[in-house]
Amino acid sequence: GMDVIAQVAHWTNELSESQANASLIAAAPDMYEALKELLSVKYQNDSPTIGMLSRAKEALARAEGRATA
């Protein structure tokens, strides 16, 4: 037989909502790292680098479902 791994308490037929949730969940680790990196600048009395800002923008785009990576 098949083992139950998870049960879904609420199912939505809205594919766009499910896709948006999946994008947000997939981007969460990148968003966390980008935010952590940007916040570290505050404590170093420094300015964010172009790379830091780019990573934050990419993570946000991914969370919004606009990025391909």
Side-chain angles (χ1 to χ4, degrees), residues 30-51:
D30 292 338
M31 291 178 11
Y32 173 78
E33 290 300 324
L35 183 58
K36 214 167 71 168
E37 186 176 33
L38 286 172
L39 288 176
S40 75
V41 170
K42 174 183 174 187
Y43 300 109
Q44 296 173 6
N45 292 326
D46 204 357
S47 297
T49 66
I50 298 294

Side-chain angles (χ1 to χ4, degrees), residues 2-67:
M2 293 178 54
D3 293 330
V4 175
I5 295 173
Q7 292 182 341
V8 177
H10 178 263
W11 179 258
T12 177
N13 289 332
E14 293 292 327
L15 184 57
S16 61
E17 182 180 345
S18 296
Q19 289 171 331
N21 289 339
S23 293
L24 184 58
I25 291 166
D30 292 338
M31 291 178 11
Y32 173 78
E33 290 300 324
L35 183 58
K36 214 167 71 168
E37 186 176 33
L38 286 172
L39 288 176
S40 75
V41 170
K42 174 183 174 187
Y43 300 109
Q44 296 173 6
N45 292 326
D46 204 357
S47 297
T49 66
I50 298 294
M52 288 177 179
L53 296 174
S54 292
R55 285 187 288 280
K57 285 181 180 180
E58 288 169 8
L60 184 57
R62 188 169 174 211
E64 293 173 343
R66 295 186 286 119

